[in-house]
Amino acid sequence: MSNPTYKIAILSGDGIGPEVMAATLPILNKAGEKFGFKTSITEALVGGCAIDATGSALPDATVNTCKQADAILFGSVGGPKWESLPPTQQPERAALLPLRKIFGLYANLRPAICHKDLIHASPIKNSLIPDGFDVLCMRELTGGIYFGEKKTVAVAHGERSIDTMVYETSEIERITHLAFKAAATRRKKVTLVDKANVLETSVLWRKTVKAIAPQYPDIKLDFIYVDNAAMQVLKNPNQFDVLLCENMFGDILSDELAALTGSLGLLPSASLAEGTFGLYEPSGGTAPDIAGKGIANPIAQILSAALMLRYSFAQEKAALAIENAVRRALAEGYRTGDIYTEGTKKVGTTEMGNAILSFL
Ligand code: NAD
């Protein structure tokens, strides 16, 4: 059988986006050579640079490029230049939200990994995480309280505002299967984060997840209330493997976990649709304070490409090889400014990319 070719839409965006993307593409290429696949890449404008060029943060041409692709590798968008635009035209809102909607990206995966060599950067006491930690936060992205009916009405002494949290069985089922499948490639445990003591939607989440669990007999399932989860990730993140969360709980917990790893420059994310399509991007933003200086950490973008290989193209070995090359570069002491400590090798974006490439 001939080698598969994967069509990838490259949306680098603004700020450090193009810099970290440039360090990532040679790594994707080399992974293809090593593991027997090809990538066909089409670049398209998104975010502030797209507003400057076309007046729209998500031009039709970009949407078309994405529609023809098997996956989107995204940088990040936004920056001070566009902050005075009305909220609905801000690059993040006008580009990412429509992309989520157009492509039905219903599951957001944020692996929070604190490497053994970087535990000093974590705000958690190092004695609690001697080997670092690795937790996958899986957040439902298109339902729940952010999308339920909302309104504000006048009442006698002010106003009353209502947000509605809504979930249907089918929305819970599809992400639950993803969570169990992800756990199967990891430490084989899923923890459902909910508030089943007070929320009807949480009761439905528990019931639905429990009903699916017997299909995955090798995976351990347990439950935790969200308030306790917020505390437990601080005390002992290693007790968790996959945290399955409805939209708002996942929004909050994934940021808490990101902060616990020490640097935004290390964290990838995946937003998945039904089937194999996905959008992959670093968890951080465009880092305007360091953009254009060649010092941004490319690891989050490189690990996002690894997630793309894993979840959209089922190239698990290639994904693991990239993740191991990143681990090796860190173990060998390569550090961009955001994770630098005395005694390690301070490098820029390109050098970090080249080091990872050489260990692949
Ligand atoms: P940010 O993530 O861009 O920066 C926060 C801090 O983290 C900065 O000090 C930055 O230098 C550092 N940082 C982030 N990524 C880094 C990397 N790869 N290497 C080294 N350091 C890194 O968040 P912000 O300052 O709140 O936002 C800046 C802009 O990015 C805003 O316009 C915001 O709207 C946008 N943003 C976009 C996305 C996205 O595209 N998904 C996400 C978040 C923020």
Side-chain angles (χ1 to χ4, degrees):
M1 212 175 75
S2 65
N3 291 343
T5 299
Y6 303 122
K7 284 187 267 172
I8 305 168
I10 300 288
L11 276 51
S12 303
D14 308 310
I16 61 168
E19 300 168 46
V20 292
M21 192 68 83
T24 301
L25 296 181
I27 292 171
L28 252 186
N29 235 339
K30 184 156 174 197
E33 282 166 19
K34 254 183 94 104
F35 293 94
F37 61 86
K38 290 194 183 116
T39 50
S40 159
I41 274 163
T42 310
E43 303 214 25
L45 290 173
V46 73
C49 60
I51 293 176
D52 290 351
T54 70
S56 160
L58 186 65
D60 290 345
T62 299
V63 174
N64 286 336
T65 298
C66 296
K67 282 186 175 162
Q68 281 157 30
D70 300 317
I72 303 171
L73 188 59
F74 193 94
S76 35
V77 292
K81 187 174 175 194
W82 304 280
E83 266 162 20
S84 52
L85 289 172
T88 52
Q89 290 168 35
Q90 295 277 329
E92 236 184 302
R93 187 154 161 196
L96 270 173
L97 294 191
L99 277 173
R100 277 182 196 164
K101 203 167 165 197
I102 294 167
F103 292 99
L105 304 171
Y106 72 91
N108 183 237
L109 279 63
R110 298 237 314 235
I113 299 169
C114 181
H115 293 266
K116 189 173 191 263
D117 300 293
L118 297 176
I119 57 172
H120 61 271
S122 172
I124 299 183
K125 248 190 237 147
N126 286 184
S127 57
L128 296 175
I129 46 165
D131 296 318
F133 60 85
D134 176 356
V135 179
L136 175 63
C137 186
M138 193 169 286
R139 166 187 169 196
E140 203 288 328
L141 206 54
T142 51
I145 198 162
Y146 296 162
F147 292 92
E149 193 183 325
K150 44 188 88 229
K151 64 179 172 188
T152 296
V153 295
V155 290
H157 298 290
E159 291 174 300
R160 174 190 292 137
S161 292
I162 303 166
D163 293 294
T164 324
M165 192 184 257
V166 190
Y167 270 107
E168 289 187 15
T169 307
S170 59
E171 291 172 288
I172 302 169
E173 282 172 345
R174 58 186 183 177
I175 192 166
T176 300
H177 284 290
L178 266 187
F180 278 112
K181 284 178 186 154
T185 66
R186 298 171 47 95
R187 298 193 307 280
K188 303 198 168 24
K189 184 175 161 191
V190 171
T191 303
L192 175 65
V193 176
D194 65 26
K195 194 71 184 167
N197 47 347
V198 284
L199 294 178
E200 279 297 306
T201 45
S202 286
V203 172
L204 183 62
W205 270 85
R206 270 199 193 203
K207 186 173 146 189
T208 308
V209 173
K210 270 186 194 164
I212 288 173
Q215 296 176 39
Y216 301 90
D218 295 344
I219 311 293
K220 184 176 178 319
L221 170 67
D222 63 7
F223 305 90
I224 189 167
Y225 294 143
V226 62
D227 42 347
N228 190 20
M231 202 160 54
Q232 292 300 326
V233 294
L234 287 174
K235 291 167 90 170
N236 178 15
N238 276 314
Q239 68 186 287
F240 300 116
D241 180 18
V242 177
L243 282 174
L244 174 59
C245 309
E246 68 84 43
N247 200 343
M248 181 167 61
F249 298 163
D251 189 7
I252 298 167
L253 280 182
S254 60
D255 267 18
E256 184 187 358
L257 279 160
L260 298 180
T261 65
S263 171
L264 267 179
L266 297 168
L267 299 178
S269 81
S271 299
L272 306 182
E274 290 198 50
T276 58
F277 193 86
L279 179 150
Y280 301 85
E281 58 170 335
S283 295
T286 55
D289 51 334
I290 57 166
K293 297 183 179 162
I295 57 172
N297 191 340
I299 290 180
Q301 189 77 63
I302 291 167
L303 292 177
S304 298
L307 291 184
M308 177 176 71
L309 294 178
R310 170 171 297 128
Y311 290 110
S312 281
F313 308 147
Q315 292 284 350
E316 179 64 25
K317 281 186 186 155
L320 274 177
I322 293 176
E323 288 162 353
N324 283 334
V326 167
R327 227 168 269 137
R328 175 91 187 275
L330 293 172
E332 299 282 338
Y334 290 89
R335 299 283 189 277
T336 42
D338 54 317
I339 49 174
Y340 175 75
T341 46
E342 232 176 84
T344 58
K345 290 176 220 155
K346 194 168 189 176
V347 294
T349 311
T350 312
E351 290 160 287
M352 181 60 108
N354 287 342
I356 294 166
L357 187 67
S358 72
F359 294 128
L360 184 62

